[in-house]
Amino acid sequence: MTVAAVSRCLSLLEILAGESEAVELSELADRLDMPASAVHRLLATLAGHGWVVQETASQKYALSLRMSTLAFRNLDARNVPDVVQSILDRLALQTREYCRLAILEGQDLVWVARAQGAAHGLKYDPDMGQEIILHATANGKAWLATLPEEQALSIAYSRGFGGGRKLGPNSARNIDELRVRLAETRRQGFATSVEEAEAGTAAIAVPFRASADSSAAVAGTISVAGPLVRITPDRWEELASALHRAAAELSEIWPLRSRQRDAARPRERVPSMISG
């Protein structure tokens, strides 16, 4: 299999992952800009390995549950859910809003855990599979603001300001606007996103580090989000304080998570040295 074929397979999986319903072969071919026969071969290969299923009645294609199973297996192997869920649950209870945690993977943030604290009224319940658009989200800006400005702006510039999906009306449109927002994030000690990632919503976020040492590397971000009518400026300080407390807890236990992960890995047997 060539690199190009692998790339096409991954693109196909990404398309199917974003669909709630099965998709016709012709539509997939159009979206991939490939002949239907070539897409059919890719689908047949993926189906043979259990990644894709074809509906008998409609003949349409959808992802199997294998990817979800592997994703949860990977999170379990990293000890992410057990370590962070209790902290997120407490934060959601305190703030009465939707809370999420993202971990840093290279130059990307990836959602790994969430907790819903809104018991009544409007509930914000976004898709955990969505890409975190760094320049438009509170989580993204919370991390970018910890980096040297030139590095942060370079990362954002390399991604572009379109975001690959429809963003909110207030999202930064260029480097100059982002520079101002990152400076504001550093000044106030937390990041905000008011109708930037999505219309009608707002969020507050802070980073947390890989240990309690203030010089430790950033491990991820934690946020509170909800409808714009509830996440108002008069609540920002209160929510930011709750987030900083949760971030401090995460930094305290993050080294334990790493040790647990290391302990779970099989150890290589070292031959004993016998003298004689």
Side-chain angles (χ1 to χ4, degrees), residues 4-40:
V6 172
S7 178
R8 289 192 291 267
C9 278
L10 292 174
S11 296
L12 180 55
L13 290 172
E14 287 175 353
I15 290 174
L16 291 173
E19 298 295 331
S20 58
E21 302 290 339
V23 185
E24 289 184 351
L25 172 61
S26 58
E27 182 181 343
L28 292 170
D30 288 342
R31 291 170 67 174
L32 287 166
D33 193 23
M34 290 173 57
S37 58
V39 176
H40 184 266

Side-chain angles (χ1 to χ4, degrees), residues 99-110:
C99 302
R100 276 198 288 190
L101 181 140
I103 59 174
L104 192 60
E105 291 273 342
Q107 293 187 342
D108 288 301
L109 286 168
V110 182

Side-chain angles (χ1 to χ4, degrees), residues 201-248:
T201 66
I204 312 290
V206 300
F208 66 90
R209 297 185 179 273
S211 77
D213 186 342
S214 60
S215 64
V218 171
T221 58
I222 187 170
S223 61
V224 173
L228 190 62
V229 294
R230 286 206 306 266
I231 310 294
T232 51
D234 60 299
R235 292 190 68 196
W236 287 2
E237 291 293 343
E238 163 213 338
L239 296 175
S241 294
L243 282 165
H244 280 302
R245 289 193 296 271

Side-chain angles (χ1 to χ4, degrees), residues 65-202:
L65 293 178
R66 184 173 185 183
M67 184 171 290
S68 300
T69 301
L70 289 181
F72 284 116
R73 186 191 303 170
N74 181 253
L75 289 178
D76 286 340
R78 294 168 179 235
N79 295 296
V80 171
D82 291 343
V83 169
V84 307
Q85 197 61 54
S86 61
I87 295 175
L88 273 183
D89 288 342
R90 282 200 306 275
L91 181 64
L93 184 63
Q94 292 167 9
T95 62
R96 304 178 305 282
E97 299 293 353
Y98 182 80
C99 302
R100 276 198 288 190
L101 181 140
I103 59 174
L104 192 60
E105 291 273 342
Q107 293 187 342
D108 288 301
L109 286 168
V110 182
W111 300 122
V112 296
R114 62 181 173 181
Q116 178 62 265
H120 307 288
L122 290 173
K123 288 187 180 181
Y124 179 55
D125 191 19
D127 180 4
M128 284 284 283
Q130 276 192 336
E131 176 190 2
I132 300 177
I133 306 299
L134 297 179
H135 75 273
T137 57
N139 288 273
K141 288 185 286 182
W143 172 55
L144 290 175
T146 68
L147 302 174
E149 184 177 85
E150 183 177 347
Q151 181 183 359
L153 296 179
S154 175
I155 291 171
Y157 183 78
S158 69
R159 309 295 172 84
F161 287 85
R165 69 169 192 263
K166 185 177 180 181
L167 299 175
N170 297 331
S171 64
R173 292 163 294 183
N174 52 56
I175 285 292
D176 290 334
E177 289 185 6
L178 179 60
R179 180 183 286 110
V180 171
R181 296 181 192 192
L182 293 182
E184 180 182 40
T185 297
R186 297 186 191 99
R187 183 173 61 253
Q188 61 192 11
F190 57 89
T192 62
S193 175
V194 180
E195 291 197 295
E196 293 182 44
E198 189 177 348
T201 66

